[in-house]
Amino acid sequence: MIDPREIRKDFPILEQQVNGRPLVYLDNAATTQKPRQVIEALVRYYETSNANIHRGIHTLAVRATEQYEAVRGKTAAFLSASHPEDIVFTRNTTEALNLVARAWGDANVHEGDEIVLTLMEHHSNIVPWQQLAQRTGALLRYAGITPEGKLDLDEVRGLIGPRTKVVSVTHMSNVLGTINAVAEIGEMARQAGALMVVDGAQSAPHLPVDVEALGCDFFAFSAHKMLGPTGVGVLWARRGLFETMEPFLGGGDMIALVRQDESTWADVPHKFEAGTPNIADVVAFGAALDYLQDLGMGAVRAHEMALTAYAMEQLSSIEGLTMHGPERADERGGVVSFAMNPAHPHDIATIADGHGVAIRAGHHCAQLLMRHLGVAATSRASFSIYNDKDDIEALAEALEHVNRVFG
Amino acid sequence: MIDPREIRKDFPILEQQVNGRPLVYLDNAATTQKPRQVIEALVRYYETSNANIHRGIHTLAVRATEQYEAVRGKTAAFLSASHPEDIVFTRNTTEALNLVARAWGDANVHEGDEIVLTLMEHHSNIVPWQQLAQRTGALLRYAGITPEGKLDLDEVRGLIGPRTKVVSVTHMSNVLGTINAVAEIGEMARQAGALMVVDGAQSAPHLPVDVEALGCDFFAFSAHKMLGPTGVGVLWARRGLFETMEPFLGGGDMIALVRQDESTWADVPHKFEAGTPNIADVVAFGAALDYLQDLGMGAVRAHEMALTAYAMEQLSSIEGLTMHGPERADERGGVVSFAMNPAHPHDIATIADGHGVAIRAGHHCAQLLMRHLGVAATSRASFSIYNDKDDIEALAEALEHVNRVFG
Amino acid sequence: MAVAEPQFDDLYREIILDHYRRPRNRGELATPSQRVEGVNPVCGDEIHLDLEIGDDTIRDVSYWGHGCSISQSSASMLTERLKGCSIEEAERVMGKVRAMLIDGAAPDDEIGDLQALEGVARLPVRVKCALLCWNVLKEGLQQATTAA
Amino acid sequence: MAVAEPQFDDLYREIILDHYRRPRNRGELATPSQRVEGVNPVCGDEIHLDLEIGDDTIRDVSYWGHGCSISQSSASMLTERLKGCSIEEAERVMGKVRAMLIDGAAPDDEIGDLQALEGVARLPVRVKCALLCWNVLKEGLQQATTAA
Ligand SMILES: Cc1ncc(COP(=O)(O)O)c(C=O)c1O
Ligand SMILES: Cc1ncc(COP(=O)(O)O)c(C=O)c1O
């Protein structure tokens, strides 16, 4: 059982006041806060071990390399993946998805091929595919959403066919909270001979994830959304897949032999990590993974699901408030998007901020979904392990205030 | 005047012992150590300001955005560049050069066009151009090096012609220390109608740089080589150039409007910063820039040049040691590569490490240069502001030990 | 709750909410001399202005668009204040509103209801909302003067 | 200097340096049954082994390549120790050397001069150097047994 009161002691940033009220941070889907264990890991790295990795013989270089590579192993373990070499570190989910679209896509997707996405994708899982389509002449097909905010699986099934080369779907919507049946969709993709890419930016931080059980081909996520530092993303690929791919970025550390006209590549995963990596932050990400593993992702999920249920209950009693997304908390992650007409989401966020409550307002990098919902923007509260019922009540109180202003 | 003894107090990592001796860190061309001001900036960011940027209304999001964008301004000022919007943050120099080769190169370089490089380039300034050449059918031309280890400017002039589309040259060699006449080469490029790209990974940390005076089109460097954190690179482009380019990575934050089949882009520089940036490290990089600016890059250069002269003097008295690169310390940066046959560079580095002296041995990501020099690897000592004569003497003592072992 | 209502109440003054709820001069003009628009890409707010300018005077002005209460009320107040004004006066008002929003300058009576936006200056992230229609107006006035 | 010579002197034992300076069995064989090679991509060290294997015996073995004293002396000692050995013995020696280098197992007399490499085990970053020729040998022996 997670005790947010205990956990909060590890998060120095939460001790502050905002606009004269204790900070209530409910913008976790954008980025989470970092426990002191992660901050200390950064400090420790820079104060004891910092050096460039992989090519050094001196003590610091060896130490830094070991620490960096150890996190590859931890990341694999976190995903229940068997091979650390199948983990490539990127800057963020966005870069991971671009890597797939370029390094796998450019070689495997051709004119007339189809790429299946959904209307609830984050721009980071749309634009790289649009760019690929533009480069290759492939076509994008979008699966729609049911009135309850779930992915329309029948439509997905209908869209996947012999011309489908890749299906790329978010594991959990960053707006609706919807958890998608990616294993099932992956099975459809496999039967059509297509690859399955899972955008795990919102799932890895909040659900137990077993990439091998999911049966996907690529899985991408960001450290900064799961207690880790900014600047680290992860791309996992199914065993053997990275080996078949040409590199993406070229430069130091990803080569075996460089000649004037051509080069040969280092082994996977180094082939995909050109230049000096974000060493310190990868090392500190290890501390974030430890923190989550110590809590247990099952416990994290249980805590956030309970909080989501409580939030939905509290918010449903606020006059004029309508929520987007699935009705049952067990079918969604800890994200609640809502509208309170005539108050505009930006006004709601500003008033909430006046209460010290940090929520997000806008299109959440999901303009296709906004258009589908028929809104320009939504307000969104999203939860993490340090949030508790008091936070939800502070939000509800702020929203009552919105009603007093706009009512 | 720089007083390394004072400066060292700011670098906690240097207080340690390695193999029973005080650490002497002479691997600064690979990455520098970080002053506590930078480490504290990281801690402060995570303990007071952390949030996702650009899209948030709440107090932390505004604070984080302001801090991040302020560093864009500082970076422009550091380069004597007039427009902060001409600064794009990447992961490292490598990614910055790949961005140029993809986003500018793919649109502007065609079959039969020529790309002029030099034999002293780092792999990060070779492989992206090889990949571009492979995609487009362009040709690579390499300028050679004089016996003294300088760039052969006549050869450069001879190579640049009407078919040249881009000239990409390192400002300072990471192996020879050679400082190249990039302004002069840029002028040759301009007259041929070609673009001039400067790999500033080794110059920005060690010399005063004025990109407008250099007259180049792109300038790339890495924060981690100049007291900043890992995970931050910089690409500066001449006014107006970024605007003409299609984006590289696609995703959140770099769009204006996303529709199903195509999207429009955010303004420069955001168009080139897809996804959540490495916010914390960019903020902390600001502290590194402040640190260097407070010392003054002229003073940094003077200190390192004096140290290089001293190192060259000390090393020249070691039996059997030969140095690569220009003879005069004012024609080179603080990098000294050398050989001590029959001791192999890896043996030298291991023995030096036994003395607590961290130097690098290997091809330094410059295999073309190694082949030109006729060696498989070199040993390299490289300096920063916290190094002093004692460090050089510790190195010399370690090298005497190498001679006792291998002599 | 014993704690006072948070400080942002001076942001959402009644007059702003009134213009938001009951927009003035909303819609298109039949024969605009200038039709200009602006979008805030970060938040998606949109403002369109129709201007009918002649004899150095804004004979008529209307707006439409969507967005938050600040961006929409600012536009509504703009139209109300500037309808019938000389271009010279419009530019003076625009200067004063911008100075209030950007530099935090104290507003004066010449800008009328727009003084209600004073509280926005304290919130950098919302200043853009209030400014949006004024940037659009600026473009419209420029078009009008170069066309003349 | 009052301080003792650093600890790495036990790494660079005289016997290693001797093999490095005066390599044994360096060069190509006239009629190798197996020719195998290995490169350490990180440091560029290169080892080629020529093996003449017959009747389950390494009748002859030579090496060439370039790299650091550890990688080259390891190869030189390998050839000296294994020339004329049965494959069974070679595999036993290989197992003991690998155990010493990888797991830090205590070496025994059966591996001969190769015991001098014991100090390398303490330096993970140099273990690969010492192992390089043994990885190459492993491949050569595998080829020989599958060919047979
Ligand atoms: C001259 C030069 N160019 C490029 C690089 C690549 O820098 P990074 O690894 O930070 O991308 C380096 C550093 O290794 C360098 O010395
Ligand atoms: C579902 C989803 N995909 C992708 C992303 C992009 O993540 P990042 O900005 O870390 O690249 C996000 C987060 O913004 C997200 O919620």
Side-chain angles (χ1 to χ4, degrees):
Chain A
M1 271 285 291
I2 282 182
D3 178 355
R5 221 171 283 247
E6 275 306 305
I7 286 181
R8 226 176 264 216
K9 292 181 188 158
D10 289 330
F11 290 78
I13 199 171
L14 298 176
E15 281 157 29
Q16 72 188 289
Q17 304 252 318
V18 162
N19 290 316
R21 305 282 186 98
L23 169 62
V24 173
Y25 186 77
L26 297 176
D27 191 18
N28 294 289
T31 200
T32 62
Q33 299 305 338
K34 323 303 173 197
R36 62 182 167 68
Q37 288 84 343
V38 168
I39 302 172
E40 283 165 9
L42 269 177
V43 172
R44 200 179 323 118
Y45 173 79
Y46 283 129
E47 292 193 350
T48 66
S49 313
N50 176 64
N52 213 326
I53 58 173
H54 291 148
R55 289 164 286 153
I57 280 172
H58 60 77
T59 298
L60 292 187
V62 173
R63 200 180 285 163
T65 304
E66 279 170 6
Q67 292 178 19
Y68 178 86
E69 290 300 329
V71 178
R72 210 187 292 282
K74 277 186 192 178
T75 309
F78 185 83
L79 298 175
S80 300
S82 321
H83 302 278
E85 315 87 83
D86 294 334
I87 300 288
V88 162
F89 291 115
T90 64
R91 178 176 33 250
N92 49 27
T93 305
T94 303
E95 193 194 11
L97 293 168
N98 276 273
L99 196 165
V100 175
R102 291 265 187 181
W104 182 84
D106 279 348
N108 294 285
V109 174
H110 305 104
E111 192 171 342
D113 286 347
E114 293 182 357
I115 298 163
V116 174
L117 308 171
T118 85
L119 289 183
M120 66 170 83
E121 297 311 313
H122 187 280
H123 294 161
S124 293
N125 197 25
I126 296 173
V127 181
W129 303 114
Q130 289 181 338
Q131 294 174 306
L132 173 63
Q134 239 138 49
R135 288 194 300 278
T136 59
L139 301 167
L140 302 177
R141 311 292 303 270
Y142 290 90
I145 298 168
T146 68
E148 208 205 329
K150 297 187 194 169
L151 195 54
D152 186 332
L153 278 187
D154 288 335
E155 210 176 308
V156 176
R157 191 172 290 107
L159 286 179
I160 297 177
R163 307 174 74 179
T164 308
K165 270 290 165 64
V166 53
V167 180
S168 191
V169 174
T170 188
H171 199 170
M172 174 179 141
S173 162
N174 65 321
V175 178
L176 303 170
T178 317
I179 297 170
N180 291 319
V182 289
E184 198 174 327
I185 299 170
E187 187 51 39
M188 299 175 200
R190 196 164 24 262
Q191 296 201 350
L195 246 57
M196 178 71 191
V197 181
V198 175
D199 173 356
Q202 294 296 340
S203 64
H206 303 291
L207 312 174
V209 167
D210 178 333
V211 283
E212 290 176 4
L214 285 182
C216 56
D217 296 288
F218 291 105
F219 188 92
F221 62 102
S222 298
H224 72 90
K225 291 188 197 281
M226 50 198 294
L227 316 185
T230 56
V232 177
V234 172
L235 178 64
W236 171 87
R238 182 173 45 73
R239 193 87 274 262
L241 197 48
F242 275 140
E243 276 80 1
T244 68
M245 288 159 57
E246 282 296 297
F248 175 37
L249 303 180
D253 247 33
M254 53 70 75
I255 55 88
L257 205 67
V258 174
R259 297 193 182 281
Q260 290 200 15
D261 289 320
E262 54 182 10
S263 301
T264 56
W265 314 129
D267 286 339
V268 163
H270 307 294
K271 181 163 84 169
F272 294 101
E273 293 181 2
T276 304
N278 188 354
I279 308 167
D281 288 325
V282 166
V283 170
F285 177 45
L289 290 172
D290 288 345
Y291 196 96
L292 288 172
Q293 294 279 49
D294 284 352
L295 292 174
M297 288 307 294
V300 168
R301 169 67 180 141
H303 170 71
E304 293 175 0
M305 195 157 82
L307 212 54
T308 304
Y310 186 68
M312 293 174 76
E313 184 195 312
Q314 289 279 304
L315 265 51
S316 65
S317 71
I318 289 174
E319 212 188 301
L321 186 150
T322 55
M323 279 175 271
H324 305 289
E327 271 156 36
R328 283 174 44 187
D330 64 345
E331 294 180 335
R332 58 191 291 162
V335 172
V336 181
S337 275
F338 55 91
M340 289 180 75
N341 296 329
H344 187 278
H346 292 128
D347 295 319
I348 297 171
T350 292
I351 291 174
D353 192 52
H355 287 250
V357 178
I359 60 171
R360 194 144 287 238
H363 55 60
H364 313 293
C365 297
Q367 291 185 1
L368 298 188
L369 177 58
M370 294 299 117
R371 220 162 287 135
H372 168 83
L373 295 173
V375 299
T378 77
S379 300
R380 180 185 77 182
S382 52
F383 314 122
S384 184
I385 47 171
Y386 36 72
N387 294 124
D388 61 11
K389 292 189 170 181
D390 292 349
D391 293 347
I392 308 288
E393 286 158 18
L395 169 65
E397 190 194 308
L399 298 180
E400 297 288 7
H401 184 197
V402 170
N403 270 343
R404 281 195 296 281
V405 171
F406 283 86
Chain B
M1 272 282 292
I2 282 182
D3 178 357
R5 222 171 281 249
E6 275 306 303
I7 285 181
R8 226 176 264 215
K9 292 181 188 156
D10 289 331
F11 290 78
I13 198 171
L14 299 176
E15 280 157 31
Q16 73 187 289
Q17 304 253 316
V18 162
N19 290 315
R21 304 281 185 98
L23 168 61
V24 173
Y25 186 77
L26 298 176
D27 192 18
N28 294 289
T31 199
T32 62
Q33 299 305 338
K34 323 303 172 198
R36 61 180 168 68
Q37 287 83 343
V38 168
I39 302 172
E40 284 165 8
L42 270 176
V43 172
R44 201 178 322 120
Y45 173 80
Y46 283 128
E47 291 193 352
T48 66
S49 313
N50 176 63
N52 214 326
I53 58 173
H54 291 147
R55 287 164 286 153
I57 281 172
H58 60 76
T59 299
L60 292 187
V62 173
R63 201 180 284 163
T65 303
E66 279 169 3
Q67 292 178 21
Y68 178 85
E69 290 300 329
V71 178
R72 209 188 292 280
K74 277 186 190 178
T75 309
F78 186 82
L79 297 175
S80 300
S82 323
H83 301 279
E85 315 87 82
D86 293 335
I87 300 287
V88 163
F89 290 115
T90 63
R91 179 176 34 250
N92 48 28
T93 306
T94 304
E95 193 195 11
L97 293 169
N98 277 272
L99 195 166
V100 175
R102 291 265 187 183
W104 182 84
D106 279 347
N108 294 284
V109 175
H110 305 104
E111 192 171 344
D113 286 346
E114 293 181 358
I115 298 164
V116 174
L117 307 172
T118 86
L119 288 182
M120 67 169 83
E121 297 313 312
H122 187 280
H123 294 161
S124 294
N125 196 26
I126 296 174
V127 181
W129 303 114
Q130 290 182 337
Q131 294 174 307
L132 173 64
Q134 239 140 50
R135 289 195 300 276
T136 59
L139 301 168
L140 302 177
R141 312 292 303 272
Y142 290 90
I145 298 168
T146 69
E148 209 206 330
K150 298 187 193 167
L151 195 53
D152 186 332
L153 279 187
D154 288 334
E155 210 176 307
V156 176
R157 191 172 291 107
L159 285 180
I160 297 177
R163 305 174 75 178
T164 308
K165 269 291 166 62
V166 53
V167 180
S168 191
V169 174
T170 187
H171 199 171
M172 173 179 142
S173 162
N174 66 321
V175 177
L176 303 171
T178 317
I179 297 170
N180 291 319
V182 289
E184 198 175 328
I185 300 170
E187 187 51 40
M188 299 177 202
R190 195 166 22 262
Q191 295 199 349
L195 245 58
M196 178 72 191
V197 182
V198 175
D199 172 356
Q202 295 296 340
S203 63
H206 302 292
L207 312 174
V209 167
D210 178 334
V211 283
E212 290 175 5
L214 284 182
C216 57
D217 296 289
F218 291 106
F219 189 93
F221 62 102
S222 297
H224 72 91
K225 291 188 198 279
M226 48 198 296
L227 316 185
T230 57
V232 176
V234 172
L235 178 64
W236 171 87
R238 181 174 46 73
R239 193 86 275 261
L241 198 47
F242 274 142
E243 276 80 2
T244 68
M245 288 158 59
E246 282 296 296
F248 174 38
L249 304 180
D253 246 31
M254 53 69 76
I255 55 88
L257 205 68
V258 174
R259 299 193 180 281
Q260 290 200 15
D261 288 319
E262 54 182 10
S263 300
T264 55
W265 315 128
D267 286 339
V268 163
H270 307 294
K271 181 163 85 169
F272 293 101
E273 293 182 2
T276 305
N278 187 353
I279 308 168
D281 288 325
V282 166
V283 171
F285 177 45
L289 290 173
D290 288 344
Y291 196 96
L292 288 172
Q293 295 279 49
D294 285 351
L295 293 174
M297 289 307 293
V300 168
R301 170 65 180 143
H303 170 72
E304 293 175 1
M305 195 157 80
L307 212 56
T308 304
Y310 186 69
M312 293 175 77
E313 183 195 314
Q314 289 279 302
L315 265 51
S316 65
S317 71
I318 290 173
E319 212 188 301
L321 186 150
T322 54
M323 280 176 270
H324 305 289
E327 271 155 35
R328 284 174 42 188
D330 63 346
E331 295 180 335
R332 58 192 291 163
V335 172
V336 181
S337 274
F338 56 92
M340 288 180 76
N341 295 329
H344 187 279
H346 292 129
D347 295 318
I348 298 172
T350 292
I351 292 175
D353 192 52
H355 288 252
V357 178
I359 60 171
R360 194 143 287 237
H363 54 58
H364 313 292
C365 297
Q367 291 186 0
L368 298 189
L369 177 58
M370 295 299 115
R371 220 164 287 133
H372 168 82
L373 296 173
V375 299
T378 77
S379 300
R380 179 185 76 183
S382 52
F383 313 123
S384 185
I385 46 171
Y386 36 71
N387 293 124
D388 61 11
K389 292 188 170 184
D390 291 350
D391 293 347
I392 307 289
E393 286 157 19
L395 169 64
E397 188 194 308
L399 299 180
E400 297 287 6
H401 185 197
V402 171
N403 270 342
R404 282 194 297 281
V405 172
F406 283 86
Chain C
M1 273 274 307
V3 185
E5 289 279 31
Q7 52 176 317
F8 291 156
D9 281 355
D10 76 327
L11 183 67
Y12 292 105
R13 301 235 180 105
E14 196 43 53
I15 204 160
I16 293 180
L17 297 167
D18 181 56
H19 276 271
Y20 182 54
R21 290 193 199 99
R22 300 189 303 114
R24 325 294 203 268
N25 306 306
R26 192 177 166 94
E28 306 187 5
L29 294 187
T31 54
S33 58
Q34 267 74 38
R35 172 164 283 181
V36 272
E37 59 177 49
V39 176
N40 181 339
V42 175
C43 63
D45 284 2
E46 221 175 290
I47 291 289
H48 302 252
L49 281 188
D50 273 7
L51 293 158
E52 198 188 309
I53 293 180
D55 290 337
D56 291 331
T57 301
I58 300 177
R59 291 202 190 120
D60 204 357
V61 50
S62 74
Y63 89 98
W64 73 101
H66 59 85
C68 65
S69 61
I70 307 295
S71 68
Q72 304 302 307
S73 65
S74 184
S76 173
M77 290 189 274
L78 177 155
T79 60
E80 198 173 59
R81 175 64 189 80
L82 298 187
K83 192 188 271 197
C85 278
S86 71
I87 289 195
E88 198 196 321
E89 184 178 345
E91 281 180 337
R92 203 167 54 237
V93 169
M94 178 165 76
K96 285 183 179 179
V97 171
R98 293 176 66 94
M100 172 182 77
L101 291 172
I102 298 172
D103 312 317
D108 67 30
D109 284 349
E110 187 175 17
I111 69 173
D113 280 7
L114 289 156
Q115 293 176 81
L117 290 171
E118 190 182 0
V120 178
R122 278 192 306 103
L123 278 183
V125 75
R126 303 304 301 278
V127 166
K128 315 194 247 333
C129 310
L131 274 180
L132 180 56
C133 59
W134 299 92
N135 293 338
V136 174
L137 173 69
K138 198 172 173 184
E139 197 189 322
L141 294 183
Q142 257 157 11
Q143 284 183 15
T145 40
T146 42
Chain D
M1 273 274 307
V3 185
E5 290 277 34
Q7 53 176 318
F8 290 156
D9 281 355
D10 77 324
L11 181 68
Y12 292 104
R13 302 235 179 104
E14 196 42 54
I15 204 159
I16 291 180
L17 296 167
D18 182 56
H19 276 270
Y20 183 52
R21 290 194 198 100
R22 300 187 306 111
R24 326 294 203 268
N25 306 304
R26 190 176 167 95
E28 305 188 4
L29 294 187
T31 55
S33 58
Q34 268 74 38
R35 172 163 283 181
V36 272
E37 60 177 48
V39 176
N40 180 337
V42 175
C43 62
D45 283 5
E46 220 176 292
I47 292 287
H48 302 253
L49 281 187
D50 273 8
L51 293 158
E52 197 188 309
I53 294 179
D55 289 339
D56 291 333
T57 301
I58 299 178
R59 291 203 190 117
D60 203 355
V61 50
S62 75
Y63 88 99
W64 73 100
H66 60 85
C68 67
S69 62
I70 308 294
S71 68
Q72 304 302 304
S73 66
S74 184
S76 173
M77 290 189 276
L78 177 155
T79 62
E80 198 172 61
R81 175 64 190 82
L82 297 187
K83 193 188 270 195
C85 276
S86 71
I87 288 196
E88 197 196 322
E89 186 180 344
E91 281 180 335
R92 204 167 53 238
V93 169
M94 179 164 75
K96 286 182 178 178
V97 172
R98 293 177 65 94
M100 173 182 76
L101 290 171
I102 298 172
D103 312 318
D108 67 32
D109 285 348
E110 188 175 16
I111 69 171
D113 281 5
L114 288 155
Q115 293 175 80
L117 290 170
E118 191 181 357
V120 179
R122 277 192 304 104
L123 278 183
V125 75
R126 303 305 299 278
V127 166
K128 315 195 249 326
C129 310
L131 274 179
L132 180 57
C133 61
W134 299 93
N135 293 336
V136 175
L137 174 70
K138 199 171 171 185
E139 197 190 322
L141 295 181
Q142 258 159 11
Q143 284 183 13
T145 41
T146 42

